[in-house]
Structures are given as C-alpha cells and as structure tokens.
Amino acid sequence: MTTSNVNQREDTTAGESRGNRRRTNEEQLDAVFEVLADARRRRIIRILRTQDGDTVPVPALAQTLATREPTDPEPDQLVISLRHVHLPKLDATGVIEYTAERSQVRYCGPSLVERLLDQV
C-alpha cells in the first residue's frame, strides 16, 4: 500500500465519521422538532423554564398546566398524559430529566430548544 492510498483511506474514514456525526445531529434536531411540534409539550417546557432548574412534582406540573390548557382538562387526566406520553418524549430528547419512580421532572434547558422557543 502506498502512502497516497493510506491517506485516501484515512480521509474516507474521517469523512464517514463526520457523516455519522452529522446524521446523529440531524436525528437529534428532528427529535427536538418533533417534541416541540406539540403545543402541550411547549406549554410544559415554558412552565418548567420558570422553575430555575428546580425539580417539580408531576402532579404540581399537571395542576399548573391545567390552567394553561385551552380545553380545561382535569389535572388527574393530565398526570396520566404527562407520565405516559409527554414527559418520556421530552426526557428522551434531553429537554428534561424525568424520574418516573419519584414522579419528578426538571428542565435541562438545551440551547437549541431555548432558541427555538424564543422564536415561537
């Protein structure tokens, strides 16, 4: 193998590595857009942003959220929706930290989410 072939292989590997990283960033961006596409999740984030990084019990979050929902849902129904749908999705994208066992949630404040929410 000549030196030029070695360099060429290294360049290909570096390019493939950058491509994988780019796909990961694109997948992360898609996941953030997906969670922010839901109005309830945006309201959840806005509520948690006001907590200065403190943890919030899920029932308290549901109570606050109920006052901001357009349909005036029952807080108990919101707790179920939060625990089974919205909080796991937000946690999976790194927007929040959700501890199901303790029923606690904390906003992480990723800069991408901050920038996007400031635009909406």
Side-chain angles (χ1 to χ4, degrees), residues 43-86:
R43 284 190 287 276
I44 292 166
I45 294 168
R46 287 188 175 108
I47 292 167
L48 293 174
R49 285 171 84 182
T50 66
Q51 302 301 311
D52 297 324
D54 294 336
T55 59
V56 177
V58 173
L61 175 61
Q63 197 72 16
T64 304
L65 184 59
T67 65
R68 298 184 184 191
E69 289 283 301
T71 60
D72 198 29
E74 291 293 319
D76 291 341
Q77 292 173 339
L78 280 175
V79 168
I80 293 167
S81 175
L82 290 172
R83 286 183 176 154
H84 294 283
V85 179
H86 301 292

Side-chain angles (χ1 to χ4, degrees), residues 26-41:
E26 288 174 4
E27 289 169 358
Q28 183 180 9
L29 183 62
D30 289 344
V32 168
F33 280 133
E34 181 182 334
V35 297
L36 293 179
D38 185 86
R40 179 171 283 170
R41 286 192 284 269

